[in-house]
Amino acid sequence: MSRREEYETRTEKLLTPIAEANGVTIYDIEYVKEGSDYILRAYIDKPEGVNIQDCENVSRALSDELDREDFIADAYILEVSSPGLGRILKKDRHLVSALGQEVEIKLFKAVDQRKEFAGTLEAFDADNVTIVEEESSRTFSRKNIAVIRLAIDF
């Protein structure tokens, strides 16, 4: 397990009871380096959407637990937020909840001279993701997908 994975896993264990106590669910946790800063991001959600108070309450409680456990060696910035409307679908549980919804897929390499596709998420498995684009289905290998996110319809 990489350092990043260890930090994310341990943070999720600390965050689970905090999220439950605050009536939110954990959408995702990521530990990333942006420029010279390390950032620990916790994305929380609830059916009616999270508000600033939810983020503040979870952030304060999580910060206290992280200070108590003190397992992250680097100086870092803690961010707690909603995954947003155009949320990234990284995990299988994200894809399950998005079945039947409009998604956007960006590929690492072009297929049919395109790197971006949009359609209704029809199915997925460990290796592939299938969307319905207009009237036809298209299947993409998951290893070729850079990002899948919910489409924002204005």
Side-chain angles (χ1 to χ4, degrees):
M1 179 182 295
S2 72
R3 182 176 67 143
R4 178 189 58 79
E5 291 169 325
E6 176 191 348
Y7 291 170
E8 290 171 357
T9 300
R10 290 183 71 177
T11 300
E12 186 164 358
K13 286 180 185 169
L14 291 177
L15 182 55
T16 298
I18 295 168
E20 289 171 1
N22 284 277
V24 299
T25 58
I26 301 168
Y27 185 80
D28 199 13
I29 295 172
E30 62 182 11
Y31 182 75
V32 295
K33 186 169 185 180
E34 293 181 359
S36 62
D37 296 323
Y38 286 98
I39 301 175
L40 178 63
R41 285 195 182 98
Y43 296 100
I44 58 173
D45 204 8
K46 64 183 181 183
E48 63 275 17
V50 296
N51 58 41
I52 192 73
Q53 193 64 54
D54 295 321
C55 294
E56 182 180 341
N57 293 341
V58 170
S59 180
R60 287 180 192 272
L62 180 57
S63 180
D64 289 346
E65 287 301 311
L66 288 165
D67 287 348
R68 231 184 311 287
E69 294 289 324
D70 197 27
F71 58 86
I72 300 177
D74 307 301
Y76 63 92
I77 298 165
L78 174 63
E79 293 179 1
V80 176
S81 69
S82 161
L85 294 175
R87 59 191 60 193
I88 294 174
L89 308 172
K90 286 196 224 175
K91 300 179 178 178
D92 284 354
R93 63 186 162 95
H94 301 155
L95 292 168
V96 166
S97 68
L99 284 169
Q101 295 185 50
E102 292 292 312
V103 297
E104 297 171 347
I105 295 178
K106 292 185 182 179
L107 304 175
F108 290 114
K109 291 172 45 177
V111 171
D112 297 333
Q113 300 177 343
R114 293 171 52 197
K115 289 178 91 173
E116 297 183 12
F117 296 84
T120 303
L121 181 60
E122 182 177 60
F124 72 94
D125 60 29
D127 300 316
N128 299 300
V129 172
T130 302
I131 63 170
V132 175
E133 189 180 41
E134 296 174 16
E135 298 287 322
S136 62
S137 291
R138 275 196 101 113
T139 300
F140 302 95
S141 170
R142 284 178 83 163
K143 67 181 177 186
N144 295 330
I145 297 173
V147 69
I148 304 173
R149 70 176 65 235
L150 285 180
I152 300 174
D153 188 24
F154 291 101

